[in-house]
Amino acid sequence: MIASKAIPRCISIAQRASQRPGGPGLLQKRRFRSANRSRVAVRSSPKSRTAGLLLSLTVGGGFLYALGYPRSLHAEVIPAPAEVKFEEPRRKASSREENRELISSQHLQVKKSWENPGVYCWGSNSGKLIYDSDEPNIKLPRRLPFFDGQLLRDLKLDRSFGAAITENGDLLQWGTGYSASILEPTPTLRGKDLVKLAISRDRIIALSSGGQVYSIPVSQVDQIEGQKPSENSWIPFWKGRSKISYRKVNPSDLAWGEKISDISSGLEHCLLLTSKGRVFSAASGTEDFPTKGQLGIPGLTWTTRPEGAYDQPHEISTLRGFEIVKIVAGDYHSLVVDNQGRVFAFGDNSLGQLGFDYNPETPTVDAPSLLAIDRLYKGTNMVPRVTDVAAGGVNSFFTIDATRVAGQGEEDPQGIGRITADTWSCGQGIWGGLGNGRWTHVQGTPTKIKALSGLFEYDEVKNAVVPIRLAHLSVGSTHISAVMSNISHVGANDRSSEHDTNWGADVLWWGGNEYYQLGTGKRNNVSNPVYIAPLDVEADKEKGRREEHRFQITPRKKIRFNGRSVSVEQRVECGRGVTAVYSGT
């Protein structure tokens, strides 16, 4: 309706304007001359509209150009269709066992450890421990050919020498600390049925199955030139001289049926544990007598020592009345645990390795002192109990079972009796040895390693959720490994499913990595526990696996080896700048 009225009105206005002087041109001039005058609704010509449009585009383009609009415009490129890549088909297995190897790296690791046991070593090679290589450092695990197919009772490593006990109880030594001319491991002390080793700066402490403790020089020269004790011969009533020099380190006042059951050594001292829970300490090196209180006997020095051999054992009388079940030694400090889970610490505390805050006035503690573990769980309604300890270098570690109890005034407590397994550390953390993600210089109060604490898993056999504890801690001078006690399975056999695979226990590593001793292939220190690749990566590649799996250690299992039944497991040994994994009985 509005449009129909407007058109006749426009025509009448145009007619009146044409009768005036100037005609329609005057109307156009007046329309463009002033914007303040009344608008005239006149249909514009096509040419005027085109000119206006071009003018607007020109002005707008200049404005955008001034603002920095892209100088050139491109048409949008249509993306090419995505290429779909399908997973390559897995190689077909010809047997049930081969199928297990193809689908599981962990199964292959377990199988290799049984079929071809041996020793893998990496880290510092300044002492030629990896005797077939001239490299100063070995970045990744490397197999030692001498130990192929061998089972060992124990193995200990220093940067300059190595020591191992064969399956029949003889001592093997190698490295430049033993001899610069002999590369391969060489038998030294034979016929003693040795079961455990500990090493100091320059001597090897060995324990026999009968409870005898032997102190053997590391150097071959000292073994040849030192005093050789007399030994019983295979000929009745006939004694001869030992082929090498060694000393016996045995307490003189053991009770009837009591014998040495465990040993541990630092750089200058060693601890001896008897079958009745008593603890003895002795000097274990020949260069220096212990002076930092690590013997646990107040006032005992080189000048005040009793008559007799310098390395004679001394009972730690402060611990009488406590049944000690565990002993460990760091470089200059000692820890013991009794059957009630109480921890006693003594020795050097200059970096807080005893678990006490550092005191510059008394940097050493020369008598066993009780460590207050309860304070770590203050206000948590948890009752702690120490289950294990470990020490090495200037660090100490504690594994604790904390049991949930009802708190005072707690109306409806949840999870009563639930056990949480935690791991704590103290000492020096500048190399990452505390495992808590921090680089602390001195850590007196124990700090929790969160990556190894509060872990649970479901046990299908028990039909319950159970805590994941640590099976073993191996502590070197600056680096550490932890073997988890997670649920493992080594029962796959010819009668089980082709998808029934074996798997072992997880192993984590952290700490100093100056010599590549962590096995990561890199040289950076690590302050949080990490996994490493399998020992035999090439075996995984042969099965067509490209992704990287983690190393898992084989738990104890009775197997058939060389036509006989033997119980075997893999173990980790962290030494001073060097690491090894071996098959042990």
Side-chain angles (χ1 to χ4, degrees):
M1 189 70 181
I2 297 176
S4 61
K5 290 181 179 182
I7 292 174
R9 185 184 178 193
C10 292
I11 295 174
S12 62
I13 294 175
Q15 290 175 351
R16 289 196 303 268
S18 60
Q19 298 174 0
R20 295 182 182 180
L26 178 62
L27 177 62
Q28 291 180 354
K29 290 180 183 179
R30 294 173 69 181
R31 187 185 327 127
F32 289 101
R33 187 177 302 160
S34 175
N36 296 326
R37 299 184 181 182
S38 301
R39 295 181 185 177
V40 180
V42 180
R43 183 175 306 204
S44 301
S45 65
K47 290 184 180 181
S48 62
R49 285 189 308 206
T50 302
L53 177 61
L54 292 176
L55 179 61
S56 300
L57 291 175
T58 303
V59 174
F63 179 72
L64 292 175
Y65 183 86
L67 292 177
Y69 197 78
R71 304 295 193 264
S72 60
L73 299 176
H74 302 279
E76 183 179 357
V77 179
I78 300 176
E83 182 181 359
V84 179
K85 291 185 178 181
F86 295 94
E87 182 180 359
E88 296 181 2
R90 191 174 68 237
R91 191 174 67 193
K92 291 185 177 180
S94 59
S95 65
R96 183 176 304 181
E97 183 61 28
E98 185 178 0
N99 184 73
R100 293 168 179 164
E101 296 173 9
L102 291 174
I103 65 177
S104 173
S105 171
Q106 285 74 27
H107 181 87
L108 184 61
Q109 293 179 49
V110 171
K111 181 181 178 181
K112 290 285 187 181
S113 71
W114 290 341
E115 291 182 343
N116 189 20
V119 176
Y120 290 86
C121 192
W122 64 94
S124 174
N125 197 32
S126 60
K128 298 293 289 183
L129 295 183
I130 298 89
Y131 52 84
D132 57 351
S133 174
D134 293 327
E135 300 175 61
N137 300 303
I138 307 299
K139 298 181 180 180
L140 295 171
R142 187 171 302 182
R143 196 173 178 95
L144 299 186
F146 178 87
F147 293 102
D148 285 350
Q150 292 195 39
L151 303 176
L152 302 177
R153 292 186 178 182
D154 201 1
L155 183 144
K156 290 292 183 290
L157 299 174
D158 190 275
R159 284 180 59 191
S160 62
F161 67 90
I165 302 177
T166 63
E167 190 178 3
N168 61 359
D170 293 337
L171 178 64
L172 296 176
Q173 291 181 241
W174 75 102
T176 57
Y178 169 67
S179 173
S181 59
I182 301 177
L183 296 180
E184 290 192 349
T186 303
T188 53
L189 188 63
R190 299 172 181 259
K192 304 300 182 184
D193 195 20
L194 304 178
V195 295
K196 188 170 184 179
L197 292 177
I199 57 175
S200 68
R201 182 179 282 114
D202 58 355
R203 296 187 77 85
I204 299 170
I205 311 299
L207 175 66
S208 73
S209 60
Q212 295 289 327
V213 180
Y214 302 92
S215 177
I216 307 104
V218 169
S219 170
Q220 184 189 42
V221 175
D222 293 339
Q223 292 179 7
I224 296 174
E225 298 179 354
Q227 184 178 0
K228 301 178 178 63
S230 60
E231 294 181 331
N232 292 329
S233 172
W234 61 273
I235 302 175
F237 309 106
W238 182 269
K239 288 190 176 183
R241 289 287 176 182
S242 170
K243 293 183 179 180
I244 67 169
S245 172
Y246 67 84
R247 302 174 63 87
K248 288 186 177 181
V249 184
N250 293 311
S252 58
D253 58 345
L254 294 180
W256 177 260
E258 186 179 17
K259 66 176 185 179
I260 301 300
S261 59
D262 196 10
I263 58 174
S264 185
S265 181
L267 292 177
E268 301 173 351
H269 77 294
C270 66
L271 299 177
L272 313 176
L273 177 65
T274 74
S275 55
K276 293 187 179 296
R278 293 199 293 165
V279 180
F280 292 79
S281 61
S284 62
T286 56
E287 295 183 3
D288 299 291
F289 193 82
T291 59
K292 298 182 182 295
Q294 62 266 49
L295 293 176
I297 302 174
L300 179 60
T301 64
W302 174 260
T303 57
T304 62
R305 74 187 193 282
E307 294 182 359
Y310 77 94
D311 57 353
Q312 60 182 299
H314 310 275
E315 184 181 4
I316 304 178
S317 57
T318 311
L319 296 175
R320 287 177 182 172
F322 300 97
E323 185 180 348
I324 305 301
V325 296
K326 179 74 175 183
I327 56 171
V328 292
D331 283 353
Y332 303 104
H333 71 287
S334 306
L335 300 173
V336 300
V337 184
D338 72 352
N339 59 350
Q340 301 298 317
R342 292 171 292 198
V343 181
F344 299 88
F346 48 98
D348 181 27
N349 193 46
S350 58
L351 294 168
Q353 58 264 52
L354 296 184
F356 307 120
D357 289 334
Y358 170 68
N359 186 347
E361 297 181 358
T362 55
T364 62
V365 178
D366 59 3
S369 301
L370 182 64
L371 188 60
I373 297 295
D374 291 344
R375 62 175 176 166
L376 302 177
Y377 292 86
K378 185 177 181 180
T380 63
N381 294 331
M382 306 283 280
V383 177
R385 178 188 175 93
V386 176
T387 57
D388 199 7
V389 292
V394 289
N395 288 102
S396 299
F397 298 86
F398 314 89
T399 59
I400 296 176
D401 276 2
T403 305
R404 174 74 162 89
V405 297
Q408 186 175 5
E410 198 171 6
E411 296 182 357
D412 187 20
Q414 301 294 323
I416 297 297
R418 185 175 186 178
I419 297 177
T420 301
D422 295 330
T423 305
W424 300 75
S425 63
C426 59
Q428 187 180 55
I430 192 63
W431 311 113
L434 294 174
N436 62 351
R438 300 177 182 177
W439 311 93
T440 310
H441 287 262
V442 178
Q443 181 68 44
T445 302
T447 177
K448 183 183 290 187
I449 304 178
K450 294 183 179 180
L452 304 178
S453 301
L455 304 177
F456 295 88
E457 64 182 342
Y458 183 77
D459 190 336
E460 295 181 354
V461 176
K462 297 181 179 179
N463 196 26
V465 176
V466 297
I468 303 177
R469 298 179 173 89
L470 296 190
H472 180 67
L473 272 168
S474 181
V475 186
S477 56
T478 60
H479 74 295
I480 305 95
S481 77
V483 178
M484 307 298 293
S485 185
N486 57 282
I487 297 173
S488 57
H489 175 66
V490 288
N493 54 51
D494 296 337
R495 296 182 299 274
S496 58
S497 166
E498 64 177 3
H499 300 293
D500 180 21
T501 60
N502 294 320
W503 69 87
D506 287 331
V507 189
L508 296 102
W509 316 74
W510 70 96
N513 201 22
E514 180 182 359
Y515 308 105
Y516 299 91
Q517 61 263 43
L518 292 182
T520 60
K522 302 177 182 179
R523 206 169 192 174
N524 59 295
N525 301 326
V526 178
S527 61
N528 276 314
V530 296
Y531 296 103
I532 65 172
L535 300 179
D536 191 357
V537 178
E538 295 302 321
D540 262 3
K541 292 181 180 179
E542 291 176 2
K543 298 299 179 182
R545 274 187 287 272
R546 296 182 179 179
E547 67 274 15
E548 185 173 300
H549 295 264
R550 67 179 183 270
F551 167 53
Q552 285 191 323
I553 202 164
T554 305
R556 182 168 293 279
K557 170 77 172 179
K558 184 171 285 189
I559 63 171
R560 297 291 296 178
F561 180 69
N562 289 340
R564 57 196 175 91
S565 179
V566 58
S567 179
V568 63
E569 66 176 351
Q570 278 188 317
R571 300 174 190 160
V572 179
E573 178 59 34
C574 293
R576 296 178 184 125
V578 64
T579 310
V581 174
Y582 67 98
S583 299
T585 57

